[in-house]
Amino acid sequence: MKNSLLFDSISSRMGITRVDLSMVKRFRLVDLSRFIKEMASPSGGLVIGTSDSWRRRITMALNRTNRGKMRRSVVFVMGGSSLDDPRYAHALSNYKAVYVETEGMKRNYEAMGLLNVRVFPNCRKRREADIVIGGHQGRLSCVYFSLISEEKGAPLILDVASMLPSVDFHMYGRIDPAIEDGFLKCCDELDNVHYHGVFDSVEGYAIAELSQYDIHLFPSLCPNEGVPGVLVETKMAGVPTIASDRCFNGELVQDGETGFVLTDISAESFASAIRKFDSDRQMLMGMKYASLRSAERFYIEKYIDDIVSTLAD
């Protein structure tokens, strides 16, 4: 999604050609030859948005063979990995700009000696339709909108649901086969848990779907979250988040303002935070509006002028 949004936004302002690395990896001749040609060409620049392993390969290859190209190129770091390799950091310093997803990542890269680091979070394009924030005094509804796996904390949500029978839990996402049988069995046994399958982000509008709910739950245990798209989308939906204090979650969710960030990643802690919202609906409404306001820094329109001017200079 991030690459697609970048490509569409840049191509509306200047000429740009897509090189599909998935086809390069499959050795499709037309893509492989285009990739080699662009890597070797002394003219033009590259916009690099790849996985960490491919980013490292491309960077080290360009650093050895085509530094002139690097100085006209920009790289977008996907995810939240820290930089700890001095040799790789030195190579990254030869790009015109390195865009990372959070201020914390920017500080980490600068501490490694880079002076070309800028922040570009996991953005979305602004839509014309306004999100209407609603409030009610009925049952609270919580939403989980991620891969349903151990690492993302999905089993913890089921434990919370068993502790709070007066709260509804709605879960979306592909199920990790390792926990599928147990997860579906628990969903059948708990009347307040509703599994909605995988949301089709192509056909549907995820932000409008998320806006139906009161609270977003994000108990992730992943070590390299970066800026998870769902934390951006829930802000745009006006839904506060209860998140685990992992990676850069504490930078994205302002504790006590747009949700809660929990250092104790347990069912008891998540249940306690939900009870706070349930007992204070005025606080819940305040955090909904604060979440919506905080979404402003995640619209690509805020960044695209800088990106295009960097490439054009």
Side-chain angles (χ1 to χ4, degrees), residues 11-204:
S11 62
S12 69
R13 308 284 191 93
M14 63 191 305
I16 183 171
T17 301
R18 190 195 304 264
V19 177
D20 189 343
L21 283 185
S22 67
M23 293 296 103
V24 173
K25 287 185 283 188
R26 295 175 191 173
F27 295 98
R28 195 169 80 169
L29 189 58
V30 62
D31 295 283
L32 182 59
S33 62
R34 180 182 295 165
F35 174 68
I36 294 171
K37 177 183 176 182
E38 293 301 333
M39 288 285 288
S41 172
S43 61
L46 300 173
V47 178
I48 302 167
T50 67
S51 65
D52 183 64
S53 59
W54 268 94
R55 183 167 62 249
R56 184 180 288 265
R57 290 190 198 106
I58 291 171
T59 297
M60 300 312 291
L62 288 172
N63 192 54
R64 287 192 302 269
T65 64
N66 201 347
R67 290 190 185 179
K69 186 92 166 188
M70 289 186 82
R71 296 187 183 100
R72 294 188 300 275
S73 300
V74 299
V75 61
F76 290 86
V77 178
M78 307 290 181
S81 57
S82 297
L83 184 62
D84 56 10
D85 181 343
R87 181 168 167 265
Y88 180 43
H90 178 71
L92 286 170
S93 70
N94 287 314
Y95 284 116
K96 195 168 191 179
V98 176
Y99 289 91
V100 298
E101 294 194 338
T102 70
E103 292 291 342
M105 291 175 69
K106 183 173 184 285
R107 290 192 293 271
N108 166 241
Y109 277 55
E110 289 176 339
M112 292 296 293
L114 275 74
L115 302 177
N116 57 344
V117 189
R118 306 178 192 181
V119 174
F120 176 72
N122 195 348
C123 289
R124 297 290 183 269
K125 187 175 182 179
R126 190 185 298 273
R127 293 217 180 185
E128 295 300 325
D130 291 330
I131 293 297
V132 178
I133 294 178
H136 62 269
Q137 297 302 314
R139 291 169 63 95
L140 274 187
S141 59
C142 299
V143 62
Y144 174 97
F145 208 83
S146 299
L147 173 68
I148 294 173
S149 67
E150 290 275 1
E151 191 174 43
K152 286 290 189 179
L156 181 145
I157 302 299
L158 298 177
D159 292 338
V160 176
S162 68
M163 299 168 63
L164 300 175
S166 63
V167 176
D168 291 321
F169 295 80
H170 299 263
M171 303 185 73
Y172 296 75
R174 180 176 63 83
I175 306 174
D176 182 347
I179 68 167
E180 184 170 10
D181 291 342
F183 172 77
L184 294 175
K185 183 175 183 291
C186 284
C187 288
D188 288 338
E189 293 173 350
L190 294 169
D191 292 337
N192 60 334
V193 176
H194 312 278
Y195 175 56
H196 298 274
V198 180
F199 185 79
D200 187 345
S201 296
V202 176
E203 295 296 328

Side-chain angles (χ1 to χ4, degrees), residues 206-238:
I207 294 169
E209 186 75 11
L210 288 164
S211 70
Q212 301 178 69
Y213 303 106
D214 295 307
I215 306 165
H216 171 234
L217 304 178
F218 193 73
S220 176
L221 302 172
C222 294
N224 294 315
E225 282 288 0
V227 178
V230 69
L231 292 185
V232 174
E233 290 165 346
T234 48
K235 285 177 178 291
M236 294 174 178

